[in-house]
Amino acid sequence: MAGDDTGGRLGEEFFTPGTASFTEFLVAHRPGLLPMRRPFPDGVRAAADRFPHGTTVLALAYRDGVLIAGDRRATMGNLIAQRDLEKVHPADDHTAVAFAGTVGLALDMVKLYQVELAHFEKVEGIPMTLNAKATRLADMIRQNLGQAMQGLAVVPLLAGYDPAAPAGRRGRIFGFDVAGGRYEKPDFHAEGSGSPYARGALKKLFRPGMPRREAALAALQALYDAADDDSATGGPDLSRRIFPRVSVITEDGFERLSETETEELSHEMVDQRRSRPDGPGATP
């Protein structure tokens, strides 16, 4: 590793038997490389307007698997820090993670989580089960508790396709709290400051067995409602052509909807809002 005087040779720690967890390897041998470290002395809190924060992300099950989406805005207090942030990331072929909270820590946590899953599969020869992936992510969040208590919280949202689940329920969603609590969410869930409004919209629009296009429109409608009531959530920016990120996970793996498809669906949704500003009613 960087900083070691080994003449380019691997250190003894690489040949010491251990677990298949890359995170536990770092905890034992290079804890300084972990993103989940307490950055301030006790009693010091991070100012809310000094670090970019991201919201809002959501997921919903649909006919072929699970859909996960997020707006693109990051804020620092009352300022827009970034308009095109990527909040939805593939974790492996059949799992995706999205985040709300402190952007820098969240991105580091996502990268570490991607390595964690890949490392386990290389060592064990098989991928983790979806339940194990959710538990491992909860453990990583728990390691960040010190920073969360100082104002640097990260709250991920995990979605995956589980071939071991019963047919029709293979798209699964997990939410978490800042202490690492893990909660499976049936049908749909949202995280971030705009999540109450997004969940309210999904409560109206969700129905079991939705086709992909209908599920994507429901996600966009929910993010639009979140942006309508929460200033930290960004709606579709038609002039800059910045639209929410929408991805699906099915038996075939992770797929991000193309810019063209997302733009088309966003324009369709905005056109609908011109005649009905409060959005569509509940699905019969």
Side-chain angles (χ1 to χ4, degrees), residues 40-54:
F40 308 120
D42 289 342
V44 177
R45 286 184 57 83
D49 60 350
R50 296 298 179 93
F51 300 93
H53 280 69

Side-chain angles (χ1 to χ4, degrees), residues 120-188:
F120 179 92
E121 186 168 351
K122 288 178 180 177
V123 171
E124 298 294 333
I126 57 172
M128 284 188 197
T129 65
L130 190 54
N131 282 333
K133 293 174 187 177
T135 299
R136 192 60 59 89
L137 183 55
D139 291 341
M140 294 174 65
I141 299 167
R142 193 170 299 113
Q143 293 176 35
N144 191 56
L145 183 58
Q147 292 189 85
M149 294 298 99
Q150 292 181 308
L152 299 176
V154 176
V155 183
L157 178 63
L158 183 71
Y161 182 86
D162 187 355
R169 305 296 300 178
R170 290 176 180 165
R172 299 174 64 191
I173 301 164
F174 294 88
F176 305 86
D177 61 35
V178 294
R182 187 198 89 166
Y183 313 96
E184 183 162 6
K185 303 293 184 176
D187 301 331
F188 60 84

Side-chain angles (χ1 to χ4, degrees), residues 33 60 94 113 248:
L33 295 178
L60 66 151
H94 289 89
Y113 186 60
V248 296

